[in-house]
Amino acid sequence: MTAIQDVIGAPAVDDLRRAMSERWRGNGHRVDEIARYALLSPGKLLRPLLLVTATEAVGGSRERVLPAALAVEYLHVASLIHDDIIDGDDLRRGRPAVHAAFGTPDAIVTGDALMFTVFSAVAECASLGVPESAVLEAVRVLARAGEDLCRGQVQEAMLDTEALAAGADHCLDAYLEMAALKTGALFRGACRAGALLGGGGPAEVSAITGFAEHAGLAFQMHDDLLPFLADSAVTGKPGSSDAANLRLTFPVLLAHREGARVDRVLRGAAPPGETFAALREAVTATGAVELARARAVEEAELAVAELGALPRTEAAALLGVIAEVAVRRDR
């Protein structure tokens, strides 16, 4: 298992890191300094990579869409800043989370500022030769992605132990809807915006959107598996975080469907470490880890199948690699 960029080695990632570093040099204002800290952390830049690759897959120019690619990361990082505050997680990507390093009030404001910066960044593409109509549509797509992300966040909070009483199948359906919103939103937004900015036709935009929907689900399903597969020193986040927040993740829900009484574990008052250990035992004993891994791989394969409608280019092949590696990564 590995990190995505280690396998892909995409030149676009270097371009994105360089552009991000140049854009966020830090000008002495505290908001900019905090944003720089958040944005230049050792993240994957996966969503910006998806945008530029989707652009190139329909024949567009990477250089013309770099501001929009960075905009997707602004939205993603802003959501992480807020998520860490909501979840009470003080560690992100192997170092102090933004609120732990700079205080909660300034972290919230910086997350808000990054969200507003999304739209001015996308608008920059018009000055680089992208038709204004495409820029406007990309703004609409990313705005909708942000709305869906928020809906997914709220829906995730509703997936609690009380929801288990409605039955395992109901909970799994609710999980899939939540994942399609919370994680799928930015995958879908990045890919669809990239295809639009690159001048893709309706069939190409539809294929790339379908790819993103399946890839987003695959990514989230595997992400839920990471606490049970990798050490927190590798993932950069405590493995017991979901347990501390009594969160019903994909393998936990599958374990519940297979007969494990995870509701008893989650209703208890044990410390997070003990709760996580009990959940690990449940997902292992029921085979939920293997079931979750198989479903994630299936979604990745469905994502790759959507790419059949695109011309066979290096960029289209890279999208396929991203989907495949998304379910083999360790962080």
Side-chain angles (χ1 to χ4, degrees):
M1 298 175 71
T2 184
I4 286 179
Q5 64 265 37
D6 292 339
V7 171
I8 297 171
V13 174
D14 291 334
D15 289 347
L16 289 163
R17 291 197 188 285
R18 190 178 307 110
M20 186 73 79
S21 181
E22 291 175 355
R23 168 63 183 82
W24 294 93
R25 294 179 181 274
N27 61 6
H29 195 285
R30 183 166 172 81
V31 168
D32 290 332
E33 294 296 337
I34 297 173
R36 178 180 173 83
Y37 175 89
L39 291 166
L40 298 185
S41 65
K44 293 179 284 291
L45 292 180
L46 175 58
R47 292 150 191 85
L49 177 61
L50 284 170
L51 190 146
V52 298
T53 308
T55 293
E56 293 176 329
V58 299
S61 164
R62 178 191 310 171
E63 289 72 19
R64 291 183 175 183
V65 302
L66 277 178
L70 298 186
V72 176
E73 188 70 358
Y74 303 159
L75 184 53
H76 174 55
V77 168
S79 74
L80 296 182
I81 292 172
H82 291 165
D83 278 357
D84 286 341
I85 294 170
I86 293 169
D87 294 342
D89 287 335
D90 290 338
L91 190 67
R92 167 68 64 178
R93 295 171 176 172
R95 63 178 188 168
V98 173
H99 70 277
F102 298 96
T104 297
D106 286 351
I108 292 173
V109 172
T110 300
D112 293 344
L114 285 172
M115 289 182 182
F116 287 118
T117 306
V118 169
F119 306 109
S120 60
V122 177
E124 290 179 32
C125 295
S127 65
L128 298 176
V130 178
E132 290 187 359
S133 58
V135 171
L136 178 59
E137 189 58 32
V139 167
R140 289 196 183 103
V141 165
L142 292 181
R144 177 59 186 271
E147 293 169 14
D148 284 347
L149 188 154
C150 293
R151 291 189 178 95
Q153 180 72 48
V154 170
Q155 188 157 330
E156 182 180 53
M158 296 171 64
L159 269 176
D160 56 18
T161 52
E162 296 298 327
L164 291 175
D169 290 338
H170 170 81
C171 281
L172 282 168
D173 288 343
Y175 169 90
L176 293 174
E177 183 178 349
M178 177 277 296
L181 289 170
K182 186 183 176 187
T183 303
L186 289 188
F187 274 66
R188 184 169 55 251
C191 289
R192 188 173 182 85
L196 289 166
L197 292 169
E204 292 174 319
V205 173
S206 177
I208 286 179
T209 302
F211 159 84
E213 289 171 346
H214 288 295
L217 275 178
F219 187 92
Q220 181 60 57
M221 289 172 177
H222 186 77
D223 211 55
D224 283 358
L225 273 171
L226 288 180
F228 304 103
L229 300 175
D231 187 89
S232 60
V234 177
T235 63
K237 189 174 182 179
S240 60
S241 173
D242 288 330
N245 290 287
L246 305 182
R247 185 162 294 138
L248 298 177
T249 62
F250 191 48
V252 171
L253 286 171
L254 288 175
H256 175 63
R257 189 188 67 178
E258 297 303 310
R261 293 305 306 271
V262 298
D263 54 334
R264 292 179 180 172
V265 176
L266 294 171
R267 288 179 190 277
E274 292 182 20
T275 300
F276 176 64
L279 291 176
R280 181 194 289 272
E281 181 179 350
V283 300
T284 301
T286 58
V289 169
E290 290 74 19
L291 290 171
R293 197 200 309 266
R295 179 60 190 276
V297 169
E298 179 185 351
E299 289 295 336
E301 291 172 346
L302 290 170
V304 173
E306 291 282 355
L307 299 175
L310 299 177
R312 294 186 177 182
T313 63
E314 183 177 342
L318 179 54
L319 287 175
V321 172
I322 292 172
E324 292 167 356
V325 177
V327 295
R328 290 192 285 114
R329 62 197 166 87
D330 54 16
R331 59 184 183 272

